[in-house]
């Protein structure tokens, strides 16, 4: 199989139509297996995925060190590494704030480059808006690092249309990373149109809605200790049952097409436009193989209409994050 590519996302750069989200290999979803994670990264690269999405907050540097190991025998120029920064954590892993001030931008980048074993990252982006720092200052500091050759492109994550406009006026923004799936379509109202107006690509995470759209989730699924989903509203009793009924609707369409629920959900995001790159968040070569096959699925207008009927854009119950985390999402502010 030849991986589909995207040329509209980053002008002058051909990228894979899918990216690999590496967060779960180090944090947030329970126990991890370093060997399988490294194998997953290498499997992705061997099958044409060129985008690796990481962050210095994932395992407090663990994820970047893992990527360094996985990329040891690879040509640096063949990989597009996107890195997030900003959230601060203490030795116990607790989040203690956000710092996207100019000094923090440069300091965080220096540590990231050391852990990755490279002198540049392809894209650098604050994971969340720092309410204490004007976005123009954060973007300006990244632009200085770009001028120095340590950053290829500037991105943002989970910001509003207004913030995106302000940032883009300071320096061209290449892409916005934000949650987008059949169950999370809020960006379609205002943020996605502004991205397209400004020529900003979308790096879509949560395309399987953290497992709800995997096709393998049930009301009796148990979670490992430390799994962030135990705190997410959409997975709470009462809401979960409603949301799984929506997934059953997706399953009916998937069965008619002879594909899995996960493959159909991923194919739906791929169908949204050449300027949208879904991130596949997996830590297993087997699950990655399933996602790779999704790139071959073609959805007709009838398929898309059926999915809209089974899962209306506002049908999901529960916010994307818990109340504390929702306050950090500039994207959720009108």
């Amino acid at each position: 199989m030849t991986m589909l590519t995207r040329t509209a996302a980053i002008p002058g750069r051909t990228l894979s139509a899918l990216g690999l989200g590496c967060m779960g290999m180090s944090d947030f979803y329970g126990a991890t297996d370093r060997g399988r994670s490294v194998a997953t990264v290498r499997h992705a690269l061997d099958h044409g995925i060129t985008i690796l999405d990481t962050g210095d907050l994932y395992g407090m540097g663990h994820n970047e060190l893992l990527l360094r190991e996985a990329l040891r025998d690879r040509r640096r120029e063949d990989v597009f590494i996107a890195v997030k920064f900003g959230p601060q954590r203490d030795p116990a892993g607790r989040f203690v704030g956000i710092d996207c001030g100019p000094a923090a931008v440069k300091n965080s980048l220096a540590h990231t480059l050391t852990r990755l074993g490279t002198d540049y990252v392809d894209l650098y982006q604050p994971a969340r808006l720092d309410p204490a720092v004007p976005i123009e200052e954060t973007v300006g500091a990244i632009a200085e690092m770009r001028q120095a050759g340590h950053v290829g492109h500037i991105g943002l994550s989970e910001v509003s249309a207004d913030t995106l406009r302000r940032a883009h006026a300071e320096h061209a923004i290449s892409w916005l990373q934000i949650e987008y799936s059949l169950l999370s379509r809020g960006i379609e109202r205002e943020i996605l149109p502004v991205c397209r107006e400004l020529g900003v690509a979308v790096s879509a995470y949560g395309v399987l809605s953290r497992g709800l759209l995997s096709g393998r989730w049930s009301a009796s699924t148990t979670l490992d200790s430390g799994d962030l989903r135990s705190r997410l509203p959409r997975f709470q009793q009462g809401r979960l049952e409603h949301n799984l009924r929506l997934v059953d609707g997706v399953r009916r369409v998937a069965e008619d097409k002879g594909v899995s629920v996960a493959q159909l959900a991923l194919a739906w995001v791929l169908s949204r436009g050449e300027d949208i790159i879904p991130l596949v968040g997996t830590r297993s070569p087997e699950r990655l193989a399933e996602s790779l096959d999704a790139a071959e699925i073609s959805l007709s207008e009838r398929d898309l209409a059926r999915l809209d009927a089974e899962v209306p854009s506002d049908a999901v119950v529960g916010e994307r994050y818990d109340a504390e985390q929702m306050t950090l999402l500039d994207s959720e502010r009108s």
Side-chain angles (χ1 to χ4, degrees), residues 13 39 95 98 127-129 136 156 168 190 259 289 315:
R13 185 83 184 253
F95 286 91
I98 299 174
R128 294 290 185 268
L129 182 70
E136 292 84 357
L156 296 173
H168 197 74
E190 183 176 355
V259 300

Side-chain angles (χ1 to χ4, degrees), residues 56-289:
D56 61 14
L57 64 156
Y58 300 159
M60 288 82 81
H62 176 277
N63 206 244
E64 293 170 328
L65 291 170
L66 185 150
L67 289 186
R68 179 175 185 163
E69 179 181 344
L71 297 173
R72 186 169 293 139
D73 58 350
R74 309 288 174 149
R75 296 197 314 163
R76 174 65 184 87
E77 59 268 31
D78 292 339
V79 184
F80 187 93
I81 303 176
V83 180
K84 291 179 289 299
F85 72 95
Q88 308 293 293
R89 304 179 74 175
D90 67 14
R94 293 182 293 259
F95 286 91
V96 293
I98 299 174
D99 191 349
C100 294
V105 168
K106 298 170 185 178
N107 180 71
S108 296
L109 178 60
H111 287 286
T112 282
L113 295 176
T114 299
R115 286 188 291 262
L116 286 171
T118 184
D119 58 0
Y120 74 99
V121 295
D122 297 277
L123 185 134
Y124 204 50
Q125 57 193 346
R128 294 290 185 268
L129 182 70
D130 183 342
V133 178
I135 191 61
E136 292 84 357
E137 292 186 15
T138 300
V139 169
I142 303 174
E144 289 180 27
M145 294 294 91
R146 183 174 185 272
Q147 185 68 28
H150 298 306
V151 172
H153 300 273
I154 302 175
L156 296 173
S157 179
E158 289 287 358
V159 300
S160 66
D162 178 65
T163 299
L164 178 57
R165 286 188 188 279
R166 287 172 49 203
H168 197 74
E170 177 69 22
H171 188 284
I173 302 301
S174 293
W175 78 14
L176 171 67
Q177 185 169 120
I178 196 162
E179 186 169 354
Y180 189 37
S181 74
L182 272 166
L183 297 181
S184 297
R185 298 178 61 175
I187 71 168
E188 294 175 347
R189 290 189 293 272
E190 183 176 355
I191 294 173
L192 183 55
V194 170
C195 283
R196 287 176 167 161
E197 174 192 334
L198 299 176
V200 176
V202 170
S203 169
Y205 76 90
V207 293
L208 298 185
S209 202
R210 296 177 180 81
L212 279 176
L213 287 166
S214 68
R216 292 177 286 273
W217 203 277
S218 73
S220 61
T221 299
T222 57
L223 297 171
D224 292 337
S225 61
D227 193 311
L228 109 95
R229 289 170 291 194
S230 64
R231 303 186 301 276
L232 298 183
R234 293 181 181 179
F235 289 82
Q236 303 307 306
Q237 189 172 9
R239 295 169 178 153
L240 177 61
E241 290 77 6
H242 170 89
N243 295 330
L244 287 176
R245 285 193 290 274
L246 297 177
V247 178
D248 286 338
V250 180
R251 182 175 286 106
R252 286 189 284 272
V253 181
E255 289 174 349
D256 287 347
K257 290 190 68 67
V259 300
S260 72
V261 171
Q263 288 172 330
L264 183 60
L266 182 52
W268 181 87
V269 179
L270 281 166
S271 77
R272 298 295 85 192
E274 291 288 318
D275 55 349
I276 295 178
I277 296 179
L279 296 176
V280 179
T282 184
R283 49 194 180 185
S284 125
E286 296 79 15
R287 294 287 177 251
L288 178 61

Side-chain angles (χ1 to χ4, degrees), residues 3-56:
M3 169 56 62
L4 296 176
T5 57
R6 295 284 200 243
T7 57
I10 302 289
R13 185 83 184 253
T14 299
L15 300 175
S16 54
L18 298 177
L20 181 64
C22 301
M23 180 182 78
M25 299 177 184
S26 300
D27 224 339
F28 303 115
Y29 291 117
T32 62
D33 183 316
R34 188 181 187 90
R36 281 178 63 79
S37 294
V38 169
T40 301
V41 174
R42 291 177 174 166
H43 185 80
L45 299 174
D46 289 342
H47 288 79
I49 287 182
T50 59
I51 302 167
L52 300 178
D53 180 84
T54 184
D56 61 14

